Amino acid sequence: MAAASHDPVHAPAAPAPQVLVAANRGPLSYALDADGTLTARRGGGGLVSGLSSALAERPGSLWVCAALGEGDREAVRRGVSEPGVRMLDIDPSVYDDAYNGIANSVLWFTHHGLYDIPREPVFDAEFRRRWESYRAYNQAFADALAAAAGEGAAVLIQDYHLSLAPGLLRAARPDLRIGHFTHTPWASADQLAMLPADVREELYRGMLGADVLGFHTSDWAAAFTAGAEGAGGLGRTRVAVHPLGVDGDELRALAHRPEVDEKLAALRAEVGSCRTVLRVDRTELSKNIVRGLLAYRELLVTRPEWRGRVVHLASAYPSRQDLAVYRDYTAAVAALAAEINAEFGTAGWQPVHVSVKDDFARSLAAYRLADVALVNPVRDGMNLVAKEIPVVSEAGCALVLSTGAGAYEELAADALCVNPYDVSATAVALHEALSMPAGERADRTKRLAAAAVALPPAAWFAAQLSGLLPS
Ligand code: G6P
């Protein structure tokens, strides 16, 4: 990607539109080592993986993102950055209030229905202070986009961190074509009704500054539309559904690198002749990892024939550890896994293998090998893991899939679908998945893989853009 120009493009033929994207997380984040070295690292989550591969095919675009921590701030100060990426060095306390205090503690919880209702949420003076920071953070993005965008440029704003940015940008630059894409679910009207009325209205006003609002599923789009109707209607804004998929060729190529072959050999040695149940997630409350482990434990209790014959590979890498509720959840996952191992493990068999490292090569190796994938979020915007596993699987992998995952809309027919709260039903589904005849497993996996590659990132991105530009 080349740095975007500040000047409008004046060309006789229809010029390719200048494209800017805005997302809290950039394609890379920097860690500052004790000796002052900056090490770049790719971020986790579906947004970065989808956008990174889409933008790789679109030279000339600019990705505006926030400096996430000290490493990124130092990179901004030293002028170190990827071409086509502009990091905003927002005041650290404003950033912390906006990212941890509002985006991840209020909006994420509201859209995923994660509140522990007898205690939360509490909208008090502290909340109002943080909301001011959320506004300032959105304004910083709107200002940077307004300054970088040429006349009539297309701007694609991503996710719940930037719900106010479309409206703020529209006010500054009415000439721009503004899209917003939500990677999470959209809360139901009841869930959104918990927010103070003026905050809820501000949220809708911000979103409705966009020309087009994109969602992964028709359910999330319908929830937005229903809520907007209560808040005065959609007006000129259109709502579109673009379910992000995976790039099958790219993913299979990644999964067959020598590094992954080595990890696969190591995994084979680790699991021996046992069947495998795989899950791969950020350690994230919405992913429902604890109930997944409870279901696996119930499987070992109700179906003792699996003892010694199955291994649960749970990759749960750390996420959002600034928030106590995430640290507690991470500890609860580790404690329950240890409990299951203590209860059922033998000298030659460890029932749960937890890996807390974000090791994509190991995950790809596990995708190739797994017999069963467990994807049981309480609610999830899409869940790309559910799409990646069937694409990479070698002999076929039975998918146990929550009805709360966005991917359910496209994958339900060939998955074993479960209510994410129903631990016993999930245990039964795990048993059925483990017992599925090899031929059926392979057939279902082929159909799941075909559905998973229906809208790869480049096409997903192009669909957002073409919805924004005049035909
Ligand atoms: C989800 C969100 C993304 C976010 C990712 C990782 O996929 O939709 O916007 O980047 O989680 O979370 P983090 O807080 O680490 O960026």
Side-chain angles (χ1 to χ4, degrees):
M1 288 180 274
S5 152
H6 287 244
D7 303 318
V9 180
H10 297 293
Q18 184 198 8
V19 177
L20 295 91
V21 299
N24 173 64
R25 193 175 265 291
L28 294 174
S29 184
Y30 296 88
L32 183 61
D33 299 341
D35 67 354
T37 317
L38 287 173
T39 316
R41 208 167 178 288
R42 182 180 177 275
L47 181 148
V48 164
S49 86
L51 268 187
S52 302
S53 58
L55 287 182
E57 298 187 23
R58 188 163 262 286
S61 50
L62 177 71
W63 185 331
V64 178
C65 59
L68 304 183
E70 234 350 88
D72 287 350
R73 293 204 172 84
E74 185 57 26
V76 174
R77 284 193 283 269
R78 290 187 201 170
V80 175
S81 84
E82 284 292 292
V85 176
R86 186 162 308 161
M87 270 189 181
L88 307 180
D89 185 358
I90 295 166
D91 176 86
S93 66
V94 171
Y95 181 74
D96 181 52
D97 285 344
Y99 172 71
N100 285 314
I102 299 293
N104 288 341
S105 297
V106 176
L107 299 179
W108 181 273
F109 273 57
T110 303
H111 288 317
H112 290 87
L114 295 177
Y115 280 126
D116 182 10
I117 291 297
R119 292 178 196 81
E120 310 163 313
V122 175
F123 297 122
D124 55 3
E126 175 63 11
F127 164 75
R128 290 286 168 176
R129 200 185 58 70
R130 292 177 181 176
W131 186 255
E132 286 291 327
S133 293
Y134 182 73
R135 251 187 218 143
Y137 161 96
N138 272 261
Q139 188 67 57
F141 270 82
D143 292 347
L145 292 164
E151 178 80 22
V155 183
L156 292 172
I157 299 170
Q158 309 290 312
D159 237 353
Y160 60 100
H161 314 86
L162 293 170
S163 312
L164 306 182
L168 297 171
L169 182 58
R170 168 75 58 214
R173 291 290 305 275
D175 61 298
L176 298 178
R177 303 163 209 279
I178 304 174
H180 183 285
F181 195 91
T182 296
H183 292 259
T184 63
W186 190 266
S188 68
D190 279 358
Q191 287 166 321
L192 274 174
M194 289 195 293
L195 293 175
D198 60 314
V199 166
R200 188 173 61 245
E201 279 157 24
E202 194 175 342
L203 201 61
Y204 274 106
R205 262 201 318 280
M207 292 287 283
L208 293 170
D211 297 291
V212 184
L213 294 171
F215 296 89
H216 281 310
T217 74
S218 55
D219 273 4
W220 312 145
F224 181 88
T225 305
E229 267 151 20
L234 287 176
R236 52 192 283 287
T237 303
R238 279 169 292 132
V239 171
V241 177
H242 302 301
L244 177 63
V246 301
D247 181 331
D249 293 339
E250 181 193 74
L251 195 64
R252 277 186 290 265
L254 283 173
H256 286 87
R257 285 169 303 156
E259 183 194 357
V260 178
D261 292 338
E262 276 166 33
K263 303 252 177 187
L264 181 59
L267 263 179
R268 285 219 163 95
E270 188 180 322
V271 303
S273 60
C274 285
R275 294 301 201 92
T276 47
V277 174
L278 173 67
R279 74 173 308 134
V280 176
D281 312 271
R282 291 183 297 111
T283 308
E284 160 57 55
L285 286 79
S286 64
K287 303 292 182 187
N288 208 19
I289 304 171
V290 168
R291 286 194 194 84
L293 286 169
L294 291 174
Y296 180 68
R297 173 158 79 187
E298 193 159 313
L299 170 81
L300 298 178
V301 172
T302 55
R303 299 282 180 172
E305 66 269 28
W306 286 114
R307 293 185 198 174
R309 293 179 48 227
V310 65
V311 162
H312 186 13
L313 297 172
S315 169
Y317 53 93
S319 180
R320 304 183 189 165
Q321 294 291 299
D322 288 344
L323 295 176
V325 64
Y326 278 75
R327 293 196 298 274
D328 293 350
Y329 190 71
T330 306
V333 167
L336 182 52
E339 227 176 80
I340 295 171
N341 284 336
E343 192 177 346
F344 299 98
T346 60
W349 174 62
Q350 186 182 317
V352 188
H353 295 210
V354 177
S355 151
V356 294
K357 224 173 127 216
D358 182 5
D359 181 345
F360 191 48
R362 187 180 192 272
S363 297
L364 287 169
Y367 288 2
R368 283 171 63 181
L369 161 115
D371 298 297
V372 174
L374 176 57
V375 179
N376 67 323
V378 288
R379 253 163 102 84
D380 206 334
M382 171 51 76
N383 198 300
L384 284 181
V385 172
K387 292 187 167 180
E388 289 169 351
I389 292 177
V391 167
V392 170
S393 167
E394 288 185 353
C397 179
L399 176 63
V400 176
L401 180 64
S402 161
T403 54
Y408 170 79
E409 225 170 82
E410 295 161 276
L411 304 183
D414 285 295
L416 301 177
C417 299
V418 292
N419 164 351
Y421 306 98
D422 192 338
V423 166
S424 298
T426 307
V428 170
L430 287 175
H431 172 70
E432 284 172 5
L434 284 164
S435 317
M436 192 182 283
E440 182 184 347
R441 221 167 41 142
D443 289 346
R444 284 184 186 241
T445 303
K446 271 193 206 115
R447 292 191 294 266
L448 289 169
V453 300
L455 192 64
W460 167 79
F461 193 75
Q464 284 182 68
L465 261 187
S466 67
L468 214 50
L469 298 171
S471 42

